[in-house]
Amino acid sequence: MQKNKVLVIGGAGYIGSHVVRALLKNDFAVTVYDNLSTGQECNLFADAQFIRGDILDFQMLRQTMSEGYDAVVHLAAKKAVGESMDNPQKYALNNLNGSVNIFNAMIETGIKNVVFSSSAAVFGMPQYMPVDEQHPVCPINFYGYTKLKIEELMDWYSRLKDFHYIALRYFNAVGYAADGSIKGREKNPQNLLPIVMEVATGKRQKMQVFGNDYDTPDGTCVRDYIHVEDLASAHVAAIRQLLQKGDSHVINLGTNKGTSVLEIIEAVERVTGRKIAYEFAPRRAGDPAILVATNQKAQKVLNWQPDYVNIDEIIQTTWNLEVK
Ligand code: UFG
């Protein structure tokens, strides 16, 4: 039987490389399209074709897509929340224009299906917990705004054209492939777990915990940490859903479970056997106290469930990279 062909745009990045790995394991023929601006060559797989290209290069996108694909996975984006507030032009150009280019090239070349990396950042300050797909969207940073606008663009295209999409709203992506096959660590990590890991390895002396006076059990912020391999398996399920049924959806990807900053630090101490030096610092602007997903829709539409539910096991997969 002929393999289904998938073009993974942004496939050399942290989440993209895990998606490529999962697709290859599930017998898809994969091509990665990435400009390697944040993606890394060490994240590429020999079994996947690689094209170095930029999403702002429409001709190259169209030429690549004219080879014919059953689906596109679009993960290419700028994703630093703080930077998006300082330099919205960069985010408008890369995230908005880049996405328009991808979707227009799909339509011109007759590719009907796309799985898009969206984010819990579209919700802004949540009004109730856990957050479902009906929760109002109201981003409070420019990064989240770009993700929401791209969702809306896909919705319009799906109504006007033979265009089918699944937007996956990631909550907090963490961990690495348990077999150690993906080695590319982010260069200037801004997220909690990579920062705690830098303290564990001695690369950083101590870290700051932003706020200890939130209305949460231990006063620190609670997030829904989802293992990147679980995110990846949801992309495989989303492509299958699109190929079989073709319905468009927006779907939250989380674990239904919240973990506080202090609980993350304690879990890292347990897993690594090292003491994590930290100090409390003022709240970080724009941080909701609690952000946890309900993944009932993902279970129903994608027949998907996260395999990783234990935070220590999730952290172990990140620690494996340091000790191997
Ligand atoms: N935190 C610290 N110290 C640090 C870094 C983070 O205390 O040095 C705290 C944050 O204040 C927050 C929690 O750890 O309470 C998690 O922070 P991250 O930066 O790891 O993640 P966020 O929840 O802020 O951001 C994530 C994604 C974004 C997305 C956002 C909204 O990384 O892409 O969720 O859904 F936009």
Side-chain angles (χ1 to χ4, degrees), residues 79 81 119-122 141 143-144 170-173 190-195 204 207-211 214 220-223 225 261 284 287-288 291:
K79 67 167 183 83
V81 170
S119 167
V122 299
N141 53 61
Y143 163 73
Y170 311 151
F171 281 62
N172 291 58
Q190 312 206 348
N191 292 111
L192 177 65
L193 190 58
I195 288 173
R204 192 187 279 257
M207 57 166 295
Q208 295 187 316
V209 173
F210 300 134
Y214 285 98
T220 65
C221 287
V222 171
R223 294 288 180 275
Y225 294 93
V261 175
R284 195 173 65 176
D287 270 346
L291 191 61

Side-chain angles (χ1 to χ4, degrees), residues 168-235:
L168 298 174
R169 290 174 172 162
Y170 311 151
F171 281 62
N172 291 58
V174 286
Y176 277 86
D179 64 2
S181 57
I182 294 169
K183 299 189 166 38
R185 263 153 288 178
E186 291 189 89
K187 286 173 190 129
N188 295 303
Q190 312 206 348
N191 292 111
L192 177 65
L193 190 58
I195 288 173
V196 186
M197 280 298 161
E198 287 194 351
V199 182
T201 56
K203 198 172 167 202
R204 192 187 279 257
Q205 283 215 309
K206 74 170 164 195
M207 57 166 295
Q208 295 187 316
V209 173
F210 300 134
N212 62 344
D213 58 352
Y214 285 98
D215 187 12
T216 58
D218 65 19
T220 65
C221 287
V222 171
R223 294 288 180 275
D224 188 336
Y225 294 93
I226 176 165
H227 195 274
V228 66
E229 281 195 75
D230 285 326
L231 286 184
S233 68
H235 290 72

Side-chain angles (χ1 to χ4, degrees), residues 273-294:
R274 310 214 174 153
K275 194 91 196 120
I276 303 298
Y278 68 86
E279 64 191 7
F280 290 116
R283 291 181 177 196
R284 195 173 65 176
D287 270 346
I290 306 180
L291 191 61
V292 176
T294 163

Side-chain angles (χ1 to χ4, degrees), residues 18 21 175-181 227 229 308 316-317 320 324:
H18 286 87
R21 176 177 173 275
Y176 277 86
D179 64 2
S181 57
H227 195 274
E229 281 195 75
Y308 284 91
Q316 184 70 51
T317 65
N320 286 346
K324 264 182 191 160

Side-chain angles (χ1 to χ4, degrees), residues 232-292:
S233 68
H235 290 72
V236 175
I239 290 171
R240 290 207 169 114
Q241 202 280 347
L242 285 169
L243 295 178
Q244 282 159 17
K245 295 201 179 130
D247 310 336
S248 293
H249 289 285
V250 174
I251 297 176
N252 290 349
L253 286 184
T255 65
N256 294 350
K257 192 180 151 210
T259 307
S260 75
V261 175
L262 286 181
E263 284 171 337
I264 291 285
I265 290 174
E266 285 158 15
V268 171
E269 289 185 335
R270 274 196 301 275
V271 169
T272 65
R274 310 214 174 153
K275 194 91 196 120
I276 303 298
Y278 68 86
E279 64 191 7
F280 290 116
R283 291 181 177 196
R284 195 173 65 176
D287 270 346
I290 306 180
L291 191 61
V292 176

